[in-house]
Amino acid sequence: MTMPALTDLTGTYALDPAHTRIGFVARHAMITKVRGSFGEFDGTLQLDGADPSKSRVAVTIKTESIDTGNEQRDVHLRTNDFLDAPAYPRITFTSTGAEQLDDSRFRLSGDLTIKDTSKPISIDFEFTGTAQDPFGNQRVGFEGEVAISRKEYGMTWNAALEGGGVLVGDRVVLEFDVSAIKQS
C-alpha cells in the first residue's frame, strides 16, 4: 500500500466507535490471558501532517462499559477492587506530545487517568492507512498498544494461588485499533 503524504491527513478527526476497539489483556491465574474492551468512548485527533509533533489526541472512556464476555467478572471489575465505575465514571487520555518515528510509526505521549490517578505513558502507533468510505467520509487508521501496571492506578486487589503466584497479573496491555473520521 502506498501511504499518502502526511500533509494530506491534516485536520480534525473523531473516533468511530463502530469501527474502533479500545481493549486490554491481563493474565489470569498466571496461566492464561483475559481479553476485554470498552464499548463506550469518544475521542478526537488533531492531526498536523506538516509537523506531526503538533498533533494532539483526547479520549474519554465510559468505565462501566467494560466487557470481557463474562458478566460476573465485568461486575467485579466495575467495583472498587478494580475500576470503581460508580466513583470514577471516566478513564481519560490526553496527549502531551507526538513524535514521528519513521514513515508509518508514531509515538504518542500523554497522561492516562484511571481512578483519578494520572500517569504519563507513551504509546507507539502504526499508521494503517487512509480511505474514503462509501458515504464520502475520509478515514484514517492506527494500531497501537502499551503495557501499564494496574497497581500504579490503585487497582491492587488480588488473591493468592495455592501453588504460588496470584490470580490477577499486575501488567495490563492496552490495545488500540483506531478508525477515525475527518470532520468538516
Side-chain angles (χ1 to χ4, degrees):
M1 167 174 68
T2 303
M3 293 292 180
L6 287 179
T7 52
D8 295 341
L9 302 179
T10 297
T12 300
Y13 295 78
L15 292 184
D16 175 4
H19 298 96
T20 295
R21 179 179 178 272
I22 298 177
F24 60 90
V25 180
R27 283 273 174 205
H28 177 262
M30 302 186 66
I31 59 169
T32 190
K33 294 177 181 176
V34 169
R35 297 180 187 281
S37 62
F38 294 92
E40 296 181 48
F41 52 84
D42 60 51
T44 57
L45 293 68
Q46 303 284 334
L47 300 181
D48 187 326
D51 185 356
S53 70
K54 292 181 181 175
S55 297
R56 296 288 178 255
V57 174
V59 177
T60 300
I61 300 166
K62 189 173 181 181
T63 309
E64 72 179 21
S65 73
I66 193 167
D67 181 5
T68 64
N70 179 292
E71 186 58 31
Q72 183 179 359
R73 178 174 43 229
D74 296 345
V75 167
H76 188 201
L77 291 171
R78 290 180 190 116
T79 70
N80 191 42
D81 285 345
F82 293 96
L83 294 169
D84 197 0
Y88 304 101
R90 289 176 298 285
I91 297 168
T92 61
F93 175 80
T94 304
S95 69
T96 56
E99 170 185 7
Q100 186 170 357
L101 303 175
D102 63 27
D103 285 349
S104 64
R105 293 182 319 120
F106 299 84
R107 179 165 295 139
L108 189 62
S109 300
D111 295 319
L112 176 64
T113 303
I114 302 172
K115 292 178 74 171
D116 276 352
T117 299
S118 292
K119 299 279 182 186
I121 64 170
S122 292
I123 310 165
D124 287 354
F125 280 95
E126 180 82 21
F127 173 59
T128 56
T130 184
Q132 186 164 342
D133 69 23
F135 308 103
N137 297 311
Q138 186 66 34
R139 293 177 173 271
V140 294
F142 294 92
E143 293 178 353
E145 66 178 38
V146 63
I148 64 168
S149 162
R150 67 183 179 87
K151 291 177 185 173
E152 288 183 358
Y153 292 92
M155 293 178 276
T156 59
W157 182 90
N158 225 325
L161 298 176
E162 188 175 310
V166 292
L167 187 63
V168 183
D170 177 49
R171 182 176 187 264
V172 177
V173 177
L174 304 177
E175 303 171 322
F176 307 93
D177 293 313
V178 175
S179 178
I181 300 171
K182 192 169 191 176
Q183 304 300 289
S184 336

